[in-house]
Amino acid sequence: VWSWDILFQEIQFLMASVVVIIVAVPEGLPLAVTMSLAFSMKTMAKENNLVKKMHACETVGAVNIIFTDKTGTLTQNKMSVVEKDAIDDDLDIIGALNSTAQWSSRDTVLGNPTECAILRELGKEKYEDLRKGYVILDTIPFNSSRKYMVTYMRDILLDTHILVKGAPEVILGMINLPENDPLLEDNGEVLRLDLDCISRIPEQQARGRRAISGAIIKEENWEEVKRKLEAGEKVNGEYCGTWYIEDPIRSDVPEAIEKSYKAGIDVVMMTGDNLATATEIGRQAGLEDIWAVEAKDFWKEVNDPNSLENRVLPNVIARCTPEDKLQILKWAQEKGFVCAMTGDGVNDGPSLNHADVGLAMGSG
């Protein structure tokens, strides 16, 4: 039977409990939070996620924009040449000699994934035969700013040759094309040349394929060629063809992006690929309401009041250098967004380090 004395006694018990909680929380809360984060780390480890910093488990729950690399992150990084337009056999020579990749003694190809795909298409036997006939004298290595690689070499007859490969619009823009094959451009991208194989480039890029073109520079003075290329001047050259390379989307990517949208997280793909290729890969990955721009146009687009409504920033950003990725990430953070960055390559390193949460994929 309840009475006032019993009720008063229960209230005293309740007050004592509240006092104990108030006293204990400041001491126990840090321990409870640490144990909770440690439990999160253990749970994520079971799913093959190695957490380097404990507080990342908490921060990742507050992320509202995920910036992601394309190759090896959204795609499988299993590149293969699916088509090739070759004017003559010189394209094979360019693929074998103007490359940092190589066949190993175990019949595997080591090096840059794009160049590895070209060497696999060429075959080990043909690669080794071509390498025996030439001596490499000097190179201009590829980087994401230049978008081309040049090799200066000598054959067994002591004749010298200069080979170049890279992004089609860059290769075709650096060589003096025949007057009867005028280069037409739209938004800086190569669209049409009289040569049938070159006219196929935009079509292939629109299918999500990476295009790599090759050419031979028809000049003998290597130092003068380097000076011209450095200065952005045209050189006498002959277009040799283009490889078309596919890198399939990871099977679980569309579902992951859909879950991100449902959680209120925007996904932005940043890649060094051509705009048409990047747009198609974004579509295959499941990005919604695609707004695609090149990195050089990013700042103009985000400050344009007539840009696509209901979006803060483009969700496909093409022709990105590591510097572009970092600057765009910093811009989003300044806008108050909590940003995650996912990537698997050295070129993603600066952005992975500066993001609120950096997520290195695979062996990244």
Side-chain angles (χ1 to χ4, degrees), residues 126-174:
K126 190 170 185 179
Y127 163 81
E128 291 178 342
D129 288 342
L130 291 172
R131 295 286 294 196
K132 291 176 183 177
Y134 298 89
V135 175
I136 295 176
L137 303 175
D138 198 3
T139 62
I140 299 176
F142 175 88
N143 69 32
S144 55
S145 298
R146 285 193 295 264
K147 300 183 179 67
Y148 66 79
M149 175 182 177
V150 186
T151 295
Y152 176 51
M153 63 184 191
R154 183 178 62 233
D155 61 24
I156 56 177
L157 300 176
L158 303 183
D159 293 327
T160 57
H161 308 269
I162 302 175
L163 313 178
V164 57
K165 81 172 190 303
E169 64 270 24
V170 174
I171 299 302
L172 296 171
M174 74 166 54

Side-chain angles (χ1 to χ4, degrees), residues 1-178:
V1 179
W2 282 89
S3 66
W4 287 107
D5 291 338
I6 294 175
L7 180 61
F8 181 72
Q9 187 178 30
E10 293 295 332
I11 292 174
Q12 286 182 316
F13 288 154
L14 177 62
M15 292 176 64
S17 300
V18 171
V19 170
V20 171
I21 292 173
I22 292 174
V23 171
V25 163
E27 298 295 332
L29 185 59
L31 177 61
V33 170
T34 301
M35 291 180 64
S36 175
L37 293 177
F39 179 77
S40 298
M41 292 177 66
K42 184 176 179 180
T43 302
M44 294 177 73
K46 293 178 180 178
E47 299 180 1
N48 296 325
N49 297 311
L50 177 62
V51 180
K52 182 179 178 183
K53 296 182 180 179
M54 190 179 293
H55 61 78
C57 296
E58 179 183 4
T59 307
V60 76
V63 164
N64 41 36
I65 294 183
I66 298 176
F67 290 97
T68 175
D69 176 44
K70 179 186 76 70
T71 304
T73 305
L74 299 183
T75 63
Q76 300 175 21
N77 202 19
K78 296 179 180 178
M79 298 189 182
S80 60
V81 176
V82 291
E83 288 190 51
K84 179 175 72 172
D85 286 334
I87 304 298
D88 51 36
D89 292 338
D90 288 337
L91 189 64
D92 289 341
I93 297 175
I94 294 171
L97 275 297
N98 189 30
S99 174
T100 57
Q102 58 183 334
W103 280 92
S104 72
S105 58
R106 297 183 178 181
D107 292 339
T108 57
V109 189
L110 306 176
N112 176 277
T114 301
E115 294 181 335
C116 287
I118 293 173
L119 293 194
R120 281 193 293 268
E121 187 274 335
L122 190 62
K124 184 177 181 181
E125 184 177 347
K126 190 170 185 179
Y127 163 81
E128 291 178 342
D129 288 342
L130 291 172
R131 295 286 294 196
K132 291 176 183 177
Y134 298 89
V135 175
I136 295 176
L137 303 175
D138 198 3
T139 62
I140 299 176
F142 175 88
N143 69 32
S144 55
S145 298
R146 285 193 295 264
K147 300 183 179 67
Y148 66 79
M149 175 182 177
V150 186
T151 295
Y152 176 51
M153 63 184 191
R154 183 178 62 233
D155 61 24
I156 56 177
L157 300 176
L158 303 183
D159 293 327
T160 57
H161 308 269
I162 302 175
L163 313 178
V164 57
K165 81 172 190 303
E169 64 270 24
V170 174
I171 299 302
L172 296 171
M174 74 166 54
I175 60 178
N176 287 312
L177 298 166

Side-chain angles (χ1 to χ4, degrees), residues 77-351:
N77 202 19
K78 296 179 180 178
M79 298 189 182
S80 60
V81 176
V82 291
E83 288 190 51
K84 179 175 72 172
D85 286 334
I87 304 298
D88 51 36
D89 292 338
D90 288 337
L91 189 64
D92 289 341
I93 297 175
I94 294 171
L97 275 297
N98 189 30
S99 174
T100 57
Q102 58 183 334
W103 280 92
S104 72
S105 58
R106 297 183 178 181
D107 292 339
T108 57
V109 189
L110 306 176
N112 176 277
T114 301
E115 294 181 335
C116 287
I118 293 173
L119 293 194
R120 281 193 293 268
E121 187 274 335
L122 190 62
K124 184 177 181 181
E125 184 177 347
K126 190 170 185 179
Y127 163 81
E128 291 178 342
D129 288 342
L130 291 172
R131 295 286 294 196
K132 291 176 183 177
Y134 298 89
V135 175
I136 295 176
L137 303 175
D138 198 3
T139 62
I140 299 176
F142 175 88
N143 69 32
S144 55
S145 298
R146 285 193 295 264
K147 300 183 179 67
Y148 66 79
M149 175 182 177
V150 186
T151 295
Y152 176 51
M153 63 184 191
R154 183 178 62 233
D155 61 24
I156 56 177
L157 300 176
L158 303 183
D159 293 327
T160 57
H161 308 269
I162 302 175
L163 313 178
V164 57
K165 81 172 190 303
E169 64 270 24
V170 174
I171 299 302
L172 296 171
M174 74 166 54
I175 60 178
N176 287 312
L177 298 166
E179 293 183 1
N180 62 339
D181 291 329
L183 176 64
L184 305 180
E185 297 183 358
D186 179 20
N187 295 329
E189 296 294 331
V190 177
L191 290 182
R192 286 291 175 186
L193 287 174
D194 289 342
L195 295 174
D196 291 339
C197 62
I198 296 180
S199 69
R200 281 166 34 87
I201 292 174
E203 169 197 339
Q204 294 286 337
Q205 290 173 330
R207 296 173 65 180
R209 293 174 174 178
R210 175 175 293 181
I212 303 295
S213 294
I216 292 181
I217 297 176
K218 300 291 187 178
E219 296 189 22
E220 295 184 0
N221 190 325
W222 170 238
E223 294 300 325
E224 179 64 11
V225 168
K226 288 199 295 183
R227 185 199 66 78
K228 286 183 177 181
L229 295 177
E230 184 68 25
E233 299 177 12
K234 286 183 176 292
V235 295
N236 292 321
E238 178 182 321
Y239 170 77
C240 297
T242 300
W243 296 275
Y244 299 109
I245 300 170
E246 278 189 355
D247 185 11
I249 289 285
R250 292 179 184 267
S251 59
D252 56 348
V253 162
E255 181 183 359
I257 290 180
E258 183 181 1
K259 288 182 177 179
S260 297
Y261 285 142
K262 288 181 178 179
I265 302 172
D266 200 6
V267 181
V268 178
M269 182 179 78
M270 299 191 291
T271 175
D273 273 338
N274 167 276
L275 185 64
T277 302
T279 302
E280 174 59 18
I281 293 298
R283 185 194 66 78
Q284 294 177 17
L287 295 180
E288 298 178 353
D289 300 325
I290 291 180
W291 176 13
V293 301
E294 288 192 357
K296 62 183 178 62
D297 299 323
F298 175 83
W299 309 107
K300 179 179 69 175
E301 291 288 336
V302 295
N303 293 316
D304 184 358
N306 297 318
S307 295
L308 187 64
E309 296 181 0
N310 301 322
R311 293 204 65 86
V312 177
L313 75 167
N315 57 350
V316 173
I317 307 173
R319 291 303 187 207
C320 270
T321 65
E323 293 79 8
D324 291 328
K325 293 181 179 182
L326 180 59
Q327 292 304 317
I328 292 170
L329 175 70
K330 288 182 176 180
W331 173 86
Q333 289 176 319
E334 290 171 0
K335 293 289 184 180
F337 295 104
V338 180
C339 301
M341 175 68 194
T342 67
D344 73 324
V346 174
N347 61 326
D348 302 314
S351 302

